[in-house]
Amino acid sequence: MAEQAAWQFIENEGGDTQLAVINPTWIAGPTLTVDARSSLQVFTAMISGAMTHAPRQRFGIADVRDVASLHVAAMTTPDAAGKRYLALADGPTLTFLDVAQVLRSRLGAFAENVPTEEAPGDEPSLLVIHNEKAKRELGFRPRPPEQTIVDTAESLRDLGLV
C-alpha cells in the first residue's frame, strides 16, 4: 500500500521528482540499535529458546547492508527512475528451519537453544523470487544468506540482546 501511495503521489504531485522502488524480502543483518524489532525478534526468540519450533514459512532474505547499497545504486542510476527492484539474496528461498540450521551449524554453543523442528502443519509452498533485474540494471551483488544469518546473530550477541 505504501508503494502504491508513493507511485500515486509521483503521478499527481511529483513534478520533476523521480521514483525508483526497492522491495526487499525479509530483512536481516547486523543492527545499529539495541532495540531488537521485526526480524531481529525472530533471531532473539530462536537463540534464546523462546521459539521452540520454527514456523512453517518460506521467504527470501535480504541483508540490510545490501538493501542500503541497492537504494544508493537506484538513486545514482538515472535509468532506474520509474522502476521496481526486488532485494534478496541469491539462491533458493529459505524456511525458518533453514535459518535455524545455519545458526546451529555456524554458531555452536551460542545457538544450542535454536529450534531443531518445524511447527506442525503443511509444507510451505515453493516460492521463487528473482533478483536478476537488480543485478543486471543496478549491479546488485547480494551477500550469501548464510553470512547474513550469522552476522545478524553475532550482532545481537555483541550488543547483549541475546
Side-chain angles (χ1 to χ4, degrees), residues 9-24:
F9 175 82
I10 292 297
E11 183 179 322
N12 295 334
E13 303 176 41
D16 292 336
T17 303
Q18 296 178 330
L19 177 65
V21 176
I22 306 302
N23 288 310

Side-chain angles (χ1 to χ4, degrees), residues 22 24 27 62-72 87 140:
I22 306 302
I27 300 175
D63 192 293
V64 66
R65 297 165 291 188
D66 294 336
V67 174
S69 294
L70 198 50
H71 276 89
V72 172
F140 183 49

Side-chain angles (χ1 to χ4, degrees), residues 20-103:
V21 176
I22 306 302
N23 288 310
T25 54
W26 188 56
I27 300 175
T31 181
L32 298 175
T33 71
V34 294
D35 187 16
R37 291 182 237 156
S38 190
S39 61
L40 297 178
Q41 290 175 333
V42 172
F43 280 86
T44 58
M46 280 186 169
I47 295 166
S48 71
M51 180 187 294
T52 58
H53 289 79
R56 287 186 177 267
Q57 186 176 353
R58 188 169 295 283
F59 48 87
I61 190 168
D63 192 293
V64 66
R65 297 165 291 188
D66 294 336
V67 174
S69 294
L70 198 50
H71 276 89
V72 172
M75 288 187 293
T76 58
T77 303
D79 289 342
K83 296 181 182 176
R84 310 171 73 228
Y85 298 93
L86 296 177
L88 70 149
D90 292 333
T93 54
L94 305 172
T95 65
F96 286 109
L97 188 58
D98 294 330
V99 172
Q101 289 169 338
V102 169
L103 292 170

